[in-house]
Amino acid sequence: IGILQVGRQAMADRYTYFPSIGVFMIVAFGAPILVARFTKHRHLLAVAATCAIMACMYVSWKQLAYWKTSFSLFSHALQITPKNAVAHLVLATAFSKSSRPDEAMYHYSEASRFDRSDAEAYNGMGWQYYVKGQPEKAVPLFQKALKLKPDGDLYHLNLGVAYEQTGESELAIQHYREAVRLGPDNLSARKNLRLKTDELSSPSLRPESYPADPDTAEEISRFFKAAVVKSMAGNFDEAAHYYRRIIALNPKDARAYYYLGILHIFQKRIGEAISCFKEAVKLNPEFYESQYNLAVASGIIGDREGFFRYLDQCLRIKPDYYMAHNQLGLYFLKQGEIGKAIDHFRKALDYFPEFDEAHNNLAIALVQSGKKQEGLSHFRRALQINPEYAEAKRNIEVYGKK
């Protein structure tokens, strides 16, 4: 009857359970009395009871067809109540999980139209723009969700991710910090905060490490933001254009060479990537991130000596660099040296506990060493940190069956 509301619905079938008790008691205790009074016509009562049961069976069968999936259930709900914000929201979530962003966007939009106070609907619309590579459109929607629910750690996380993709690193960190404060167990927020703060605190990646006159510095900053937006959207050639313009303005800016090298890795232009990383190291010998990526690029082209040399130089500069330990773990795992691989994956996690990739890699090594249950726990940890981690999902299915 809805006296005590459970969930968002003021009216729902489940509220009929309590008031129906009296009706069922009347039927249960009254039926025997009724049957006793009509002993001469029991066959009619039997026929009536059979018809009633068959009618209930038919209605149940029809209802079960709606309860097969979220799509069928809530599509039916919308046929009955077209202005049902909750049904639109559930359908939108189902479409989003099925990687159908257009249908998801429609239902999130409808949910927000029928319930302007629904923060989740605005957050959902923002996320659809984000996955389409339009973070600039996602930002105001995440902001709207936060205005409606300021303590939503997930909304702070999503806004931080969108800001990061628009090149607003400081704003991204602010929202990552707030997400961690509001949700201490939000591992995705903790991971993103660590990665972004590490990047901005790196001496080699700070803008002030490569001084330029004020006017040029402002233009360089604008080009960096444009390059980030283009690279996040997958427009690597356009992003590379901006990094080259930065280099033209300030030939000693090692960051530009570094990020240009990263783009070349994505473009599978390994030779050009190696040249960029080497130039970055030449300009800044302590640039351990460039040393690390030189090792990765060397590994791609099969240069084993270069792989170890550059990783050694990277770890000499920064012994706790988790990426380097993870890379060494991958090398030893591939070589079948499971013990060494496990040691390096554990070191990576000691330095960065929310490193989802290292959890996944450690899990593989542990399973191969016969420690299946411990390995499965690390697969699960990787998915806690990054619920969209496809490789970890696949691995837990494969290794969980063995």
Side-chain angles (χ1 to χ4, degrees), residues 29-321:
F29 290 102
I33 298 172
L34 187 64
V35 170
R37 289 184 178 182
F38 293 93
T39 54
K40 295 181 179 179
H41 304 286
R42 284 188 176 182
H43 62 285
L44 295 177
L45 290 173
V47 170
T50 301
C51 290
I53 292 170
M54 291 181 68
C56 288
M57 288 174 65
Y58 171 76
V59 173
S60 296
W61 171 78
K62 193 170 182 180
Q63 285 292 321
L64 285 172
Y66 299 132
W67 284 82
K68 284 184 177 179
T69 66
S70 295
F71 297 107
S72 59
L73 177 61
F74 289 95
S75 294
H76 175 63
L78 287 175
Q79 289 175 356
I80 299 170
T81 54
K83 296 182 180 181
N84 188 330
V86 174
H88 278 295
L89 186 63
V90 175
L91 267 178
T93 304
F95 280 122
S96 181
K97 289 181 178 178
S98 300
S99 300
R100 296 164 66 178
D102 292 334
E103 293 100 322
M105 179 63 83
Y106 168 76
H107 286 288
Y108 278 129
S109 178
E110 289 295 281
S112 69
R113 185 161 72 93
F114 297 127
D115 184 358
R116 296 290 184 184
S117 64
D118 193 337
E120 193 173 343
Y122 291 102
N123 178 69
M125 284 192 287
W127 188 253
Q128 300 315 305
Y129 278 124
Y130 172 79
V131 298
K132 287 181 175 181
Q134 299 175 289
E136 70 285 350
K137 292 184 178 180
V139 166
L141 290 163
F142 291 142
Q143 289 173 332
K144 177 70 173 177
L146 276 173
K147 187 176 181 181
L148 292 168
K149 189 178 179 183
D151 60 347
D153 60 299
L154 176 61
Y155 306 155
H156 279 288
L157 170 62
N158 289 345
L159 183 54
V161 170
Y163 273 134
E164 188 171 345
Q165 290 215 352
T166 57
E168 300 288 350
S169 296
E170 294 292 346
L171 288 173
I173 285 180
Q174 288 177 25
H175 285 282
Y176 290 150
R177 285 200 177 110
E178 194 64 10
V180 171
R181 185 184 71 81
L182 293 168
D185 295 328
N186 190 327
L187 298 179
S188 295
R190 296 176 74 89
K191 172 195 170 184
N192 287 7
L193 177 60
R194 172 66 183 275
L195 289 173
K196 204 62 192 173
T197 52
D198 280 0
E199 180 184 338
L200 293 188
S201 63
S202 168
S204 301
L205 295 174
R206 291 176 186 165
E208 59 270 22
S209 299
Y210 312 99
D213 66 80
D215 291 338
T216 303
E218 185 177 343
E219 193 169 9
I220 286 173
S221 177
R222 190 169 67 251
F223 286 156
F224 262 114
K225 284 187 179 181
V228 169
V229 171
K230 294 297 183 183
S231 61
M232 289 293 186
N235 300 323
F236 298 140
D237 288 335
E238 293 181 51
H241 167 73
Y242 283 110
Y243 287 129
R244 290 192 183 97
R245 292 187 69 177
I246 293 167
I247 292 167
L249 288 169
N250 186 6
K252 294 185 178 181
D253 195 326
R255 295 174 308 155
Y257 283 105
Y258 169 74
Y259 287 120
L260 184 56
I262 297 291
L263 287 180
H264 287 323
I265 290 284
F266 283 117
Q267 294 172 309
K268 301 188 186 306
R269 294 154 64 175
I270 309 303
E272 293 175 65
I274 288 175
S275 297
C276 288
F277 294 137
K278 283 184 175 179
E279 188 63 29
V281 170
K282 181 180 177 181
L283 291 166
N284 181 358
E286 299 300 301
F287 202 155
Y288 63 85
E289 294 95 339
S290 282
Q291 300 278 10
Y292 166 76
N293 280 287
L294 270 171
V296 172
S298 297
I300 292 173
I301 63 174
D303 180 3
R304 183 177 179 276
E305 187 272 332
F307 174 81
F308 280 104
R309 183 175 76 254
Y310 291 123
L311 277 183
D312 181 65
Q313 290 173 1
C314 170
L315 289 171
R316 176 186 56 79
I317 299 167
K318 189 171 178 61
D320 62 348
Y321 193 42

